[in-house]
Amino acid sequence: MTKVRVHEYAKKVNKSSKEVIEELKKLNVTVSNHMSTLESDAVTKLDTVFKGSNSAPRHTEVRQEKKQAAPSGQRTQSNDQSNRPNRPANSSANRPSNGQGNRPQNGSANRPSNGQGNRPQNGSANRPQNGQGNRPSNGSASRPANGSSNRPSNNNTANRPNNSSNEQRSTSQNSGEKFKNAKGNQNRNMSQNNNNNSNNNNNKKGGFNNNQRKKPGIHGGKRRHPKTHQPTIPQAPKELPEKITFYESLSVAELAKKLHREPSEIIKKLFMLGVMATINQELDKDAIELICADYGVEVEEEVRIDKTDLDVYFEQAEVVEEEQSVRPPVVTIMGHVDHGKTTLLDSIRNTKVTAGEAGGITQHIGAYQVNIDGKKITFLDTPGHAAFTTMRARGASITDLAIIVVAADDGVMPQTVEAINHAKAAEVPIIVAVNKMDKPSANPDRVMQELTEHGLVPEDWGGETIFVPISALKGEGIDTLLEMILLVSEVAELKANPGRSAIGSVIEAQLDKGRGSVATLLVQDGTLRVGDPIVVGHAYGRVRAMVNDLGRRVKEAGPSTPVEITGINEVPQAGDRFVVFEDEKTARQVGESRAMTAIQANRSEKQRVTLDNLFEQMSHGEVKELNLIVKADVQGTVEAMAASLMKIDVEGVNVKIIHTGAGAITESDISLAAASNAIVIGFNVRPDVNAKRAADEEGVDIRLHRIIYKVIEEIEAAMKGMLDPEFEEKIIGQAEVRQTIKVSKVGTIAGSYVTEGKITRDSGVRIIREGIVIFEGDLDTLKRFKDDAKEVAKGYECGITIKNFNDIKEGDIIEAFVMEEIKR
Ligand SMILES: Nc1nc2c(ncn2[C@@H]2O[C@H](COP(=O)(O)OP(=O)(O)OP(=O)(O)O)[C@@H](O)[C@H]2O)c(=O)[nH]1
């Protein structure tokens, strides 16, 4: 039972450490260097080489061979042979704890000399081994059972040979102390088992370890020993849980609690894994998973829903096919001014609603339903794409189908195109209603022809778009139109689950003197009932009363039904979403917290795509498609620009032109841009006042240019992340030309009134006539009465002449700008 280091042994036999190491190699004993400790068997083997053989070691070897041959079930194939007879005693159940298994043993044999020497070596050699070795072993569920069933028998049986072999060795070495030594070993082995068992507790599901710990004590008659140590021995650990869950991270203490283990045990494990941790240290997902894998405990990361995010309820709506049933389509009517949207909506309502519901008085609540042979259609009562897009910009996509009304006598007009583009951007199917067919000047073919250019090809011409000729005024073709709506919606397979609690959107809302906040809601899924606790946008409450589009009180409203409700604490906005909660308390909490966040977060701070942040958003993967709206002074330029822009080829992002048009940039362009996260490019055109305000509010990026290649260059540079806006144009003011005076030699003086900002002597100017830039150049003179002025502020009159431009007219707008350096 000797354990010496290589160099000690070498000294003893008068050899160099190198020679001993070489000899060990031959004997198939691996040692790393001269400081390595030699197991007793290795020493015995070396003895046979360096000192000549003796009987005892051979005996041991024979024993060992026997042992290896006989209990084949007991891992004999393992690496270091010399230790084998000892190992099973301590570690057959504790495979990974080699180091620990050996340590006390070594210590017991040679405590004074080896005690210290072993520790670092074993420690360093075994630690990683332990860490790694444990993990897979714990993975198998059968292990702990095996361990526990094997352990007692191993302890007894394996200890015995162990002791006896020790005994024998002792006989050969310290014959006089045979008894003492043997007993001592026995005891030591027992305490060693205790150690191991407590180690096992660390490593395994160790419910049985405790029993085991006592057993050898009882058998060995040394109860006092463990007893005296009892306070320091950790209490019998509880069963490990089968599974734990965590959210984002856990501290060591929290993890320990979840695993029913002492934090120190977790810290130790982490240490083994090379992580130095304190009890309060937060562990990330990887660390938690490693530790749990080590214990064989399943781990799952909780995904917590942000209760206050109403969108989550829409996205997470679980679809159970069996619970789904067909729901009515929600239809929006769009088209150019005066093409007959309102007439069509009224015509449908009057012929269908009142006819179907005798005695009903139609109520304008923002939407209504018609019933065609038992099948319902919901029409949104706010015609025009402005409302449609505003809703969409607020996140509500409630329309299933868009009807584009085109007057057959007027043909495709700018707003027709806008409406088409709005519907396309929302990916909503389109039906074209060719209206005013009763008029003699009606020319449906022309309408079809013109719409073909916008991608709407009639079915008769091999396309996919349904065209229905109607006369909204006379009610002709309405039935066919409704039939077609049902047909398209059937194809779209619109479904909802009336069994779930309701979710939907606000169509319109207002404050009523008598009733308080009144909101028309469209139930998009589920069924809304009177008394439901509800959160609508930032408002909350209980549905007090519900009125349908016929002005009747109803108790519940299923999918695609519009109802007007009262009972919420504030007036929500059109396009806001609503969600029904289980109890009023939650609804109140969510509502209040949403109201708070709404106050804090400025809506316009929404991160829109601008050319300045385009590259950043592209690299974050947030933008894969650059949506553009192109407005120019003439249609030809629009097309040329669109074609050039489409040719821009930058990897990772596509250019998509969602709308083009000739004329000033309008509010509608901005709302489309806001809804589609698009950039507006104006070529020789300006945004009108409303558009400018809307763009500021919504944070929409408008780029104004006068040279095509500059537009292309700018967009391309932005896409490549090379945009270099060192100088940016800043519009400093506007003046309106109220009078023109022609003076020979001087040219035309524009008697102007500064309407916004200021005009300075050194500013650049643009002349805008009816929203179109007709000239860009420099200011020549700026006068207040007869004196030259450096600048003229808002609300003052002034005389302006412009370099090389005399064609100024009354009503023109002079826009003054300066170039300012921009710091990036
Ligand atoms: N002859 C004829 N006139 C129609 C028809 N439909 C609508 N009109 C007329 O066209 C005019 C405009 O109709 P509206 O329904 O107000 O058109 P709109 O598209 O709603 O117009 P805005 O609300 O201004 O956008 C009205 O004078 C209608 O009477 C039709 O089928 N035949």
Side-chain angles (χ1 to χ4, degrees):
M1 184 64 201
T2 333
K3 267 210 167 180
V4 287
R5 292 176 183 240
V6 171
H7 72 94
E8 284 169 348
Y9 184 85
K11 206 170 159 192
K12 213 160 88 186
V13 295
N14 218 4
K15 298 277 172 198
S16 72
S17 299
K18 204 176 161 195
E19 281 173 297
V20 175
I21 290 171
E22 271 168 13
E23 204 52 52
L24 282 166
K25 265 189 203 154
K26 282 186 212 161
L27 291 169
N28 242 355
V29 178
T30 330
V31 287
S32 49
N33 56 35
H34 67 288
M35 287 300 286
S36 306
T37 43
L38 295 172
E39 300 294 341
S40 48
D41 287 353
V43 173
T44 324
K45 282 183 183 174
L46 283 174
D47 280 347
T48 54
V49 177
F50 291 114
K51 293 181 181 172
S53 59
N54 66 39
S55 58
R58 206 174 284 153
H59 186 69
T60 317
E61 262 180 31
V62 172
R63 256 180 177 284
Q64 186 186 332
E65 273 163 29
K66 260 191 202 166
K67 222 179 155 10
Q68 279 177 349
S72 59
Q74 290 203 357
R75 235 176 314 122
T76 49
Q77 75 279 29
S78 194
N79 33 17
D80 53 340
Q81 321 82 330
S82 57
N83 224 1
R84 204 72 344 243
N86 287 338
R87 184 90 49 75
N90 307 314
S91 59
S92 72
N94 299 332
R95 214 181 312 143
S97 60
N98 282 344
Q100 287 157 348
N102 288 336
R103 216 181 299 147
Q105 195 184 353
N106 291 336
S108 70
N110 270 329
R111 219 178 291 142
S113 66
N114 291 335
Q116 283 182 338
N118 282 341
R119 231 171 290 137
Q121 200 202 338
N122 282 338
S124 66
N126 288 328
R127 214 178 297 143
Q129 205 182 333
N130 226 352
Q132 288 170 348
N134 278 341
R135 240 172 293 137
S137 79
N138 282 328
S140 87
S142 62
R143 263 308 141 64
N146 285 341
S148 59
S149 65
N150 285 340
R151 244 174 277 142
S153 67
N154 279 339
N155 282 336
N156 297 335
T157 56
N159 270 341
R160 248 171 271 133
N162 176 14
N163 290 330
S164 60
S165 75
N166 283 340
E167 238 173 82
Q168 288 191 6
R169 243 171 276 133
S170 313
T171 328
S172 65
Q173 286 166 6
N174 312 309
S175 52
E177 289 183 82
K178 181 184 165 186
F179 175 73
K180 195 178 160 194
N181 208 3
K183 203 174 178 193
N185 269 341
Q186 195 181 8
N187 287 338
R188 262 174 237 128
N189 278 331
M190 277 163 194
S191 64
Q192 176 189 327
N193 281 334
N194 286 343
N195 288 342
N196 280 330
N197 288 334
S198 63
N199 282 330
N200 283 342
N201 292 346
N202 294 344
N203 301 333
K204 309 251 173 183
K205 299 184 180 180
F208 299 100
N209 290 336
N210 206 28
N211 304 338
Q212 216 184 309
R213 197 191 307 137
K214 281 177 190 159
K215 261 188 200 163
I218 293 159
H219 286 294
K222 285 270 176 186
R223 284 194 72 157
R224 230 187 316 142
H225 182 66
K227 244 191 178 174
T228 47
H229 283 86
Q230 223 155 25
T232 60
I233 296 169
Q235 278 204 335
K238 278 202 235 162
E239 274 286 325
L240 280 165
E242 267 189 18
K243 183 175 171 182
I244 65 157
T245 57
F246 71 99
Y247 175 64
E248 282 179 358
S249 69
L250 282 178
S251 71
V252 170
E254 288 164 342
L255 177 62
K257 201 173 167 197
K258 279 184 186 275
L259 289 169
H260 310 147
R261 290 291 176 271
E262 289 297 318
S264 58
E265 201 177 305
I266 307 288
I267 293 173
K268 199 154 128 198
K269 265 194 188 301
L270 284 162
F271 183 73
M272 300 288 204
L273 296 167
V275 180
M276 298 293 286
T278 60
I279 189 162
N280 293 321
Q281 189 144 338
E282 288 292 319
L283 300 176
D284 63 4
K285 191 181 170 196
D286 288 347
I288 295 168
E289 278 174 356
L290 269 178
I291 296 287
C292 289
D294 208 6
Y295 281 112
V297 173
E298 204 182 317
V299 57
E300 193 181 293
E301 189 174 359
E302 279 174 40
V303 184
R304 272 189 208 165
I305 310 164
D306 177 8
K307 260 195 200 168
T308 61
D309 183 3
L310 298 189
D311 295 348
V312 171
Y313 302 91
F314 285 75
E315 284 150 20
Q316 287 203 333
E318 264 180 44
V319 178
V320 182
E321 233 4 90
E322 301 85 64
E323 291 170 5
Q324 298 279 308
S325 56
V326 177
R327 67 168 174 86
V330 179
V331 182
T332 301
I333 295 181
M334 301 197 273
H336 193 69
V337 184
D338 276 355
H339 277 202
K341 301 179 289 290
T342 317
T343 314
L344 175 59
L345 272 165
D346 288 346
S347 169
I348 296 170
R349 185 206 298 264
N350 295 335
T351 51
K352 298 296 161 190
V353 178
T354 37
E357 306 269 342
I361 303 155
T362 57
Q363 186 106 351
H364 282 270
I365 62 163
Y368 65 85
Q369 272 192 329
V370 294
N371 199 329
I372 294 118
D373 303 330
K375 287 177 186 162
K376 286 178 180 167
I377 304 174
T378 306
F379 283 94
L380 293 185
D381 211 355
T382 29
H385 51 264
F388 173 80
T389 307
T390 313
M391 288 257 224
R392 201 161 73 80
R394 297 182 60 78
S397 39
I398 55 176
T399 305
D400 302 308
L401 205 157
I403 295 192
I404 309 276
V405 180
V406 190
D409 61 335
D410 204 14
V412 173
M413 286 300 182
Q415 283 189 334
T416 317
V417 180
E418 272 182 25
I420 293 169
N421 289 335
H422 281 244
K424 277 187 184 167
E427 294 176 0
V428 166
I430 294 171
I431 292 181
V432 179
V434 186
N435 192 26
K436 305 196 185 180
M437 286 298 286
D438 57 295
K439 280 198 168 183
S441 52
N443 186 353
D445 280 351
R446 186 181 128 210
V447 173
M448 288 196 219
Q449 181 61 51
E450 285 170 346
L451 283 177
T452 315
E453 288 163 23
H454 297 279
L456 299 180
V457 184
E459 281 179 317
D460 296 349
W461 297 3
E464 285 179 351
T465 310
I466 298 173
F467 280 66
V468 186
I470 59 163
S471 168
L473 198 66
K474 303 211 160 154
E476 286 164 14
I478 306 287
D479 286 338
T480 324
L481 181 65
L482 297 174
E483 253 171 54
M484 289 304 151
I485 293 171
L486 288 174
L487 192 83
V488 173
S489 59
E490 242 167 62
V491 174
E493 289 190 339
L494 306 166
K495 286 188 173 170
N497 175 8
R500 57 163 291 173
S501 56
I503 52 169
S505 299
V506 178
I507 294 172
E508 54 179 50
Q510 73 273 345
L511 193 64
D512 185 284
K513 269 189 188 164
R515 297 184 294 163
S517 302
V518 180
T520 299
L521 307 181
L522 178 80
V523 180
Q524 289 178 269
D525 204 349
T527 300
L528 183 65
R529 293 183 177 85
V530 170
D532 275 349
I534 195 170
V535 173
V536 190
H538 310 133
Y540 63 89
R542 238 176 217 287
V543 179
R544 199 188 304 144
M546 284 205 287
V547 176
N548 70 5
D549 53 328
L550 298 167
R552 292 216 178 103
R553 279 189 162 238
V554 285
K555 286 230 159 58
E556 53 178 48
S560 295
T561 312
V563 274
E564 194 181 68
I565 66 148
T566 54
I568 44 173
N569 68 335
E570 265 179 55
V571 182
Q573 282 182 288
D576 275 347
R577 286 177 152 178
F578 78 82
V579 170
V580 166
F581 284 83
E582 273 178 16
D583 55 279
E584 202 172 355
K585 196 176 152 213
T586 323
R588 174 192 290 268
Q589 276 171 357
V590 173
E592 277 173 356
S593 129
R594 281 179 62 81
M596 281 299 291
T597 355
I599 293 164
Q600 285 159 5
N602 187 344
R603 267 198 70 221
S604 65
E605 270 177 18
K606 230 199 261 172
Q607 183 64 295
R608 293 238 180 271
V609 171
T610 65
L611 283 191
D612 292 325
N613 69 18
L614 174 65
F615 186 71
E616 198 188 326
Q617 294 207 17
M618 271 166 61
S619 40
H620 290 160
E622 287 159 14
V623 171
K624 297 236 160 37
E625 211 158 55
L626 174 61
N627 289 339
L628 296 177
I629 292 174
V630 181
K631 295 299 286 272
D633 47 354
V634 284
Q635 189 58 32
T637 323
V638 173
E639 277 157 23
M641 279 221 343
S644 312
L645 286 166
M646 292 297 286
K647 278 188 203 140
I648 297 178
D649 182 25
V650 174
E651 211 183 309
V653 60
N654 292 326
V655 174
K656 187 176 173 192
I657 295 170
I658 57 166
H659 178 59
T660 59
I665 297 164
T666 62
E667 200 179 352
S668 160
D669 294 327
I670 304 299
S671 61
L672 177 59
S676 314
N677 212 9
I679 291 168
V680 181
I681 295 174
F683 188 79
N684 272 350
V685 288
R686 309 274 101 188
D688 62 27
V689 184
N690 289 337
K692 226 189 237 171
R693 184 187 32 76
D696 285 346
E697 268 172 22
E698 296 285 349
V700 170
D701 193 9
I702 305 179
R703 296 277 161 163
L704 304 170
H705 285 277
R706 284 180 58 79
I707 303 166
I708 287 196
Y709 82 82
K710 282 248 160 105
V711 181
I712 313 296
E713 230 176 54
E714 188 183 57
I715 302 280
E716 201 166 350
M719 285 163 83
K720 286 179 178 159
M722 303 179 315
L723 199 62
D724 190 19
E726 275 187 333
F727 285 93
E728 200 185 56
E729 180 193 301
K730 191 180 169 211
I731 294 163
I732 56 165
Q734 262 190 5
E736 199 182 292
V737 180
R738 299 221 160 146
Q739 198 183 5
T740 55
I741 310 142
K742 285 211 166 73
V743 179
S744 53
K745 285 187 192 168
V746 180
T748 311
I749 301 170
S752 316
Y753 177 79
V754 183
T755 52
E756 236 178 77
K758 60 181 181 184
I759 310 282
T760 59
R761 173 66 191 79
D762 55 358
S763 52
V765 286
R766 273 187 209 100
I767 310 300
I768 301 156
R769 192 169 292 161
E770 285 161 9
I772 290 171
V773 180
I774 56 161
F775 179 78
E776 185 176 317
D778 291 321
L779 209 134
D780 194 10
T781 57
L782 177 69
K783 285 184 190 282
R784 278 276 296 151
F785 304 108
K786 290 206 160 146
D787 305 325
D788 280 331
K790 247 188 167 178
E791 62 173 61
V792 178
K794 181 180 171 181
Y796 290 96
E797 286 176 337
C798 58
I800 296 172
T801 58
I802 290 151
K803 255 184 214 161
N804 307 324
F805 186 75
N806 281 318
D807 181 29
I808 197 129
K809 290 205 170 92
E810 264 175 45
D812 284 354
I813 302 289
I814 299 174
E815 183 181 83
F817 62 90
V818 288
M819 299 307 281
E820 265 190 3
E821 195 179 336
I822 292 288
K823 284 197 178 68
R824 296 200 111 209

